[in-house]
Amino acid sequence: MATAIPNSPSLETAPTQTYSWQNYHCAYAVHRSDASQGQPLLLIHPIGVGLSRHFWQRFSDEWQRQGQTNPLYAPDLLGCGESDMPRIAYRPEDWAQQLQAFIDTVIQEPVIVVVQGALFPVALRLAQQAPEQVTGLVLSGPPAWGVMTREAKPRQNQLLWNLFFDTPLGWGFYRYARREAFLRSFSQDKLFAQADDVDANWLKTLQQGAADLASRHAVFSFLAGFWRQDYGPDIRQLQQPVKVLFGEEASGISRRGKNDPADKRLNDYLSQLANGDGTLIPGRNVMPYEQPEAFVRETAAFVQRVGQSHSSR
């Protein structure tokens, strides 16, 4: 566990706050120190059983421990955490619109987006629809390039939703998937480099986040593939600076790109981004949680560069 640096600004308790979007109740927390300053970071959590803004807690603690002062905004996406959980099929465009409203009504200034894993399409759509509000992006373990450029199959996605996920079968599967034994096994097999890092805090957070069965709708929207399409042209057109971070032991869950080594995953992105750079750091697929020290160090250096560029305009 990280220890506080003597004389460093203390991190305030981050209580749940709320705002409204399209008549939905949406939750968020703000992590700021006594000496907060600089461009804010918008943290986009991954989608999965029990996942919410609490995914970023270790990152937030380490951010403060390393003496970084930029405020951190961690919203719960609709369908997750303490936000409302309507029974709908969620798409990246939905969450991007929610986050744009969050920037407009709560943050009220441009942000640097830090996004975990396969939620990159949400950050991409946000950067496209609000280019003046997103000055840079940090990608933590995005999907392999082959996954991100896979042709959309909307009919297949809808059939999966209608015939399995949005049925009593899906309800039963979710009850099984939120069991501690399943969460531990999946995390060790697919997410973490070291099995011992799948600790009690991680498992407790997931189980609490999945306690409300309505949280299944966001997870099943992801599993049904409503986020999948060919994002290649959109990624190539990104003009904001992008930092791509992969774990040295990065792996995939889907079959396409599953066995691509970390350096290939990174190079695939850097060869396509107009303004990108990247680094391999320790860890596998959830570096902000399993390797927060290295992840914060790389993110902070990028944030400083973007902030300097933004302030000189």
Side-chain angles (χ1 to χ4, degrees), residues 76-284:
D76 278 329
L77 296 175
L78 197 66
C80 306
E82 296 177 72
S83 290
D84 283 347
M85 299 178 180
R87 183 180 176 178
I88 59 175
Y90 300 85
R91 291 169 170 80
E93 293 76 13
D94 301 321
W95 284 317
Q97 290 171 16
Q98 176 195 353
L99 293 176
Q100 185 176 357
F102 180 62
I103 296 172
D104 288 340
T105 61
V106 177
I107 304 178
Q108 298 184 346
E109 61 179 301
V111 301
I112 295 172
V113 172
V114 185
V115 58
Q116 170 62 35
L119 270 288
F120 174 33
V122 177
L124 178 62
R125 292 291 180 246
L126 177 62
Q128 288 177 313
Q129 67 193 31
E132 297 302 317
Q133 295 173 316
V134 177
T135 62
L137 300 96
V138 178
L139 313 183
S140 172
W145 186 255
V147 176
M148 287 293 291
T149 55
R150 181 181 179 183
E151 183 180 356
K153 297 181 179 180
R155 179 175 174 79
Q156 177 179 303
N157 304 149
Q158 195 64 53
L159 284 173
L160 281 170
W161 177 265
N162 291 340
L163 300 180
F164 178 71
F165 290 121
D166 193 33
T167 70
L169 286 174
W171 180 84
F173 171 73
Y174 196 73
R175 290 180 64 88
Y176 170 79
R178 66 180 186 171
R179 294 167 55 248
E180 180 179 328
F182 179 88
L183 294 171
R184 182 187 300 276
S185 176
F186 182 86
S187 298
Q188 291 176 342
D189 292 345
K190 304 295 185 182
L191 302 180
F192 287 73
Q194 301 297 325
D196 290 345
D197 288 341
V198 181
D199 57 14
N201 180 71
W202 172 260
L203 295 172
K204 181 180 179 181
T205 299
L206 297 186
Q207 287 190 296
Q208 289 178 341
D212 189 336
L213 281 171
S215 63
R216 72 188 187 276
H217 305 309
V219 178
F220 287 168
S221 297
F222 181 80
L223 293 178
F226 288 112
W227 65 278
R228 292 182 181 273
Q229 57 183 281
D230 182 2
Y231 296 100
D234 296 322
I235 294 173
R236 296 184 188 98
Q237 292 174 15
L238 271 178
Q239 295 304 307
Q240 294 95 332
V242 181
K243 181 73 173 184
V244 187
L245 296 172
F246 277 104
E248 293 169 349
E249 300 179 55
S251 63
I253 295 175
S254 58
R255 286 174 293 180
R256 183 172 297 198
K258 180 178 181 179
N259 297 318
D260 289 351
D263 56 351
K264 181 182 186 307
R265 293 170 183 267
L266 178 60
N267 290 331
D268 283 345
Y269 275 91
L270 298 185
S271 67
Q272 302 295 326
L273 287 164
N275 189 10
D277 73 278
T279 309
L280 298 181
I281 64 174
R284 189 178 178 187

Side-chain angles (χ1 to χ4, degrees), residues 25-86:
H25 166 100
C26 300
Y28 70 97
V30 185
H31 302 267
R32 65 170 77 245
S33 70
D34 300 334
S36 282
Q37 60 180 346
Q39 193 169 9
L41 275 59
L42 172 61
L43 310 178
I44 304 179
H45 66 77
I47 297 294
V49 178
L51 287 168
S52 68
R53 71 177 192 269
H54 297 296
F55 171 82
W56 295 105
Q57 187 59 56
R58 286 192 175 180
F59 172 85
S60 301
D61 291 344
E62 182 64 22
W63 187 258
Q64 185 269 339
R65 193 192 72 82
Q66 291 190 22
Q68 304 304 324
T69 59
N70 304 70
L72 309 176
Y73 287 81
D76 278 329
L77 296 175
L78 197 66
C80 306
E82 296 177 72
S83 290
D84 283 347
M85 299 178 180

